[in-house]
Amino acid sequence: MIFSIILAAGEGTRMKSKLPKVLHKICGRPLLSHVINTAKSSGIDKNIVIVGNRSDLVRKTIEEEVTFIEQPMGEGVPYGTGFAVMQARDFIEDDSHVIILYGDTPLITNETVNNIIDFHKKGNYEATVLSADFDDPTGYGRIIRDKNGNVEAIVEHKDASERQREIKEINSGIYCFNGKSLKIALDRLDNNNAQNEYYITDAIKILNDLGLKVGGYKILDNEEIFGINSRQQLAEAEKIMRKRINSTHMTNGVTIINPENTYIDADVRIERDTIIYPGVIIEGKTRIGEDSIIGHNSRIVDSVIGNRVEIQISTIIESKIDDDAHIGPYAYLRPNSEIGRNVKIGDFVEVKNSKIDDNSKASHLSYIGDAIVGKGVNIGCGTVFVNYDGKKKHKTIVQDNAFIGCNTNLISPVEVEEGAYIAAGSTITERVPKGSLSIARAKQVNKEGWVEKKGLKK
Ligand code: UD1
Ligand code: CA
């Protein structure tokens, strides 16, 4: 069995944040969730997360299924990566493999996790360290190799001699251990070092002293072990992750006109032959079908978009848009809006908590709130669904094939029945019966010769 221990108890003071570091997001997901998802997609089903700093918030926020273990925190309490791993000791089975990961190192890929496991198994190692060559290794633990190329020890920068500090091969902090050996090493860790911390890195020398073999698997792409300590690094990691996400979509057959300024969250799914224009932001768990066009500077959050939909420079939040619909430019779909097939929601139309059925149109300058609109309805320019009486929101129903003239106010609760017409400029306060024409506006009065009589003629 393989399981992971993900260290996420540290403080992250350089973020200067109220939020624990591992809950900061890149591409719409907390850092820690990226690591958990990578572990899961590497086939690691059991994942243990060591939490400490603001652990209640971490437990509450993380949606993935994991086992949380509390690392005690506070003055006088031991600290360090070794102490963190010790908290999971009782979960470690002798014949298991344990992958140790960091919650603040979100760019690690499942290929690398699988490679380190393969390398570990093939080499018959008791532990394997994921290492990398850094031009500037300052601050990192250094890898000490023996004459056979196995890893003899890891020396922390603060504990290293001048000569050891010249070593460019660093410890990523990611390891694979055999369960039994990890437990043996944990039981022997101490904190006699420059930082008075329990170092998990000391496990390497402990195993060597017991005559057990430790491997060093060097990563090819240093990007993957990039850890986040500051907001600058958060932005850098976001950029790398964004590039990967966009590249995956393009591999899957999505056209992204300018990937450098297209922002797609990690959990978004897009079908092939959809085209994404520059400046688009697609967030959360949004799904987009085939052959759709997402025009420039649109923002779509947690929404479901069908096939052949065209969206131009619009904002769509928690809504559903069916096939062949046209949205925008400058439309605003607020939560819980359902737009049917072949519907047109045009410029400066706002829709909130409303269902608009197939083939209906609201082409310009309207507000549709708390409404049920049937099929084939025409909502004229400037129509307002007056859903709020100052205290409560009310519902409006417009049945199939109704025609709402321009600049109509529908004072809800109110119902317009099937096929009814409303004259432009009407303020509708009562039910409009099926098939009728409703006119609710002052009658026009023409006062002939009035301008001349008033002496206003030019
Ligand atoms: C650690 C390694 C170092 C390696 C570097 C790579 C040790 C002793 N050193 O150093 O060799 O080059 O990572 O980035 O392991 N954490 C806890 N509980 C703790 C302490 C830390 O959960 O008590 C977590 C932190 O939240 C963080 C991770 O462990 O995610 C690493 O801790 P950090 O203090 O940053 O380790 P480094 O000193 O950088
Ligand atoms: Ca660190």
Side-chain angles (χ1 to χ4, degrees):
M1 191 179 104
I2 302 182
F3 68 97
S4 79
I5 300 175
I6 302 170
L7 309 191
E11 292 212 22
T13 44
R14 275 180 285 167
M15 296 299 282
K16 301 231 172 75
S17 177
K18 295 185 285 300
L19 204 63
K21 178 165 73 176
V22 292
L23 294 185
H24 281 264
K25 288 180 178 179
I26 58 171
C27 299
R29 249 192 214 158
L31 299 178
L32 178 55
S33 293
H34 282 285
V35 180
I36 296 168
N37 275 285
T38 300
K40 290 197 177 210
S41 61
S42 313
I44 304 175
D45 307 316
K46 187 158 191 212
N47 298 285
I48 294 172
V49 179
I50 310 295
V51 287
N53 178 47
R54 280 164 287 182
S55 60
D56 46 334
L57 193 54
V58 178
R59 286 168 189 260
K60 242 189 347 218
T61 310
I62 296 300
E63 292 170 356
E64 290 81 10
E65 210 196 299
V66 293
T67 305
F68 288 106
I69 295 182
E70 199 76 24
Q71 174 183 344
M73 291 280 181
E75 215 149 317
V77 180
Y79 191 76
T81 51
F83 188 65
V85 178
M86 281 180 204
Q87 310 310 310
R89 193 192 182 285
D90 292 348
F91 285 78
I92 301 169
E93 289 162 29
D94 283 352
D95 58 354
S96 62
H97 288 98
V98 182
I99 300 286
I100 296 178
L101 299 162
Y102 289 166
D104 63 0
T105 306
L107 298 173
I108 185 82
T109 63
N110 52 359
E111 286 93 349
T112 297
V113 172
N114 289 325
N115 286 347
I116 186 174
I117 295 168
D118 281 353
F119 178 89
H120 177 85
K121 285 182 179 166
K122 282 197 188 116
N124 275 316
Y125 297 110
E126 288 304 313
T128 297
V129 182
L130 184 67
S131 73
D133 282 331
F134 277 12
D135 290 337
D136 178 12
T138 310
Y140 288 91
R142 305 299 205 284
I143 303 287
I144 316 288
R145 299 241 185 195
D146 66 16
K147 56 183 184 309
N148 301 319
N150 293 330
V151 181
E152 208 168 64
I154 298 172
V155 181
E156 288 307 292
H157 183 89
K158 284 185 182 150
D159 300 297
S161 66
E162 282 301 315
R163 282 206 41 203
Q164 288 169 330
R165 285 188 182 181
E166 279 164 26
I167 297 170
K168 303 271 192 218
E169 190 181 6
I170 63 96
N171 168 31
S172 71
I174 292 168
Y175 319 84
C176 179
F177 278 95
N178 286 354
K180 192 171 178 195
S181 293
L182 178 56
K183 281 200 281 191
I184 289 170
L186 287 176
D187 294 343
R188 295 173 191 220
L189 293 184
D190 62 41
N191 60 354
N192 298 327
N193 52 54
Q195 305 186 81
N196 291 321
E197 288 182 7
Y198 289 89
Y199 292 165
I200 191 60
T201 47
D202 285 348
I204 307 313
K205 180 157 188 311
I206 291 168
L207 296 181
N208 269 275
D209 288 348
L210 293 169
L212 301 169
K213 216 164 60 148
V214 178
Y217 177 76
K218 205 186 276 182
I219 200 169
L220 299 173
D221 185 355
N222 290 351
E223 234 170 47
E224 285 193 37
I225 55 169
F226 182 61
I228 288 153
N229 296 304
S230 65
R231 306 266 181 169
Q232 286 85 347
Q233 290 171 334
L234 189 71
E236 233 172 288
E238 163 106 26
K239 191 173 170 190
I240 294 165
M241 183 67 77
R242 180 160 69 234
K243 197 170 162 192
R244 281 188 195 167
I245 291 170
N246 289 347
S247 174
T248 303
H249 287 296
M250 291 189 279
T251 302
N252 293 342
V254 176
T255 293
I256 300 179
I257 295 194
N258 185 355
E260 267 89 74
N261 71 355
T262 302
Y263 305 79
I264 304 177
D265 278 357
D267 293 320
V268 170
R269 299 286 168 268
I270 308 173
E271 304 294 327
R272 64 159 92 177
D273 288 321
T274 281
I275 302 173
I276 317 277
Y277 278 76
V280 166
I281 304 175
I282 309 175
E283 296 178 46
K285 296 195 164 46
T286 294
R287 302 277 174 275
I288 301 176
E290 283 189 17
D291 298 309
S292 287
I293 295 173
I294 313 299
H296 73 281
N297 292 357
S298 295
R299 176 167 177 248
I300 305 175
V301 182
D302 288 317
S303 294
V304 179
I305 316 288
N307 303 319
R308 299 174 303 280
V309 170
E310 201 175 323
I311 295 170
Q312 291 186 62
I313 197 164
S314 292
T315 300
I316 293 155
I317 318 264
E318 292 165 39
S319 290
K320 199 164 170 272
I321 301 173
D322 211 334
D323 298 346
D324 301 295
H326 282 69
I327 311 293
Y330 308 105
Y332 182 20
L333 269 51
R334 290 168 52 199
N336 204 23
S337 295
E338 263 186 63
I339 309 300
R341 275 171 184 263
N342 197 37
V343 164
K344 181 173 182 206
I345 302 294
D347 52 273
F348 305 103
V349 174
E350 176 176 337
V351 183
K352 186 214 81 175
N353 186 36
S354 294
K355 187 172 179 335
I356 300 178
D357 215 331
D358 301 351
N359 302 313
S360 290
K361 284 191 169 74
S363 298
H364 342 260
L365 302 162
S366 289
Y367 172 64
I368 303 169
D370 303 309
I372 296 177
V373 176
K375 294 185 172 59
V377 170
N378 189 84
I379 295 170
C381 176
T383 296
V384 174
F385 285 57
V386 184
N387 61 330
Y388 186 49
D389 63 9
K391 273 193 185 148
K392 275 176 79 178
K393 303 279 166 73
H394 299 281
K395 206 159 198 78
T396 302
I397 297 172
V398 179
Q399 293 186 4
D400 294 352
N401 300 316
F403 182 97
I404 315 294
C406 290
N407 205 25
T408 294
N409 292 315
L410 296 165
I411 312 286
S412 67
V414 73
E415 185 159 359
V416 180
E417 292 186 358
E418 202 180 321
Y421 271 58
I422 293 173
S426 293
T427 293
I428 301 296
T429 55
E430 279 161 44
R431 187 177 66 91
V432 180
K434 183 172 170 179
S436 60
L437 167 68
S438 182
I439 307 171
R441 63 187 184 214
K443 224 182 161 84
Q444 183 168 333
V445 180
N446 291 340
K447 298 190 174 175
E448 302 262 349
W450 182 88
V451 175
E452 200 170 0
K453 245 186 278 168
K454 285 273 177 185
L456 296 172
K457 198 175 169 199
K458 287 185 189 134

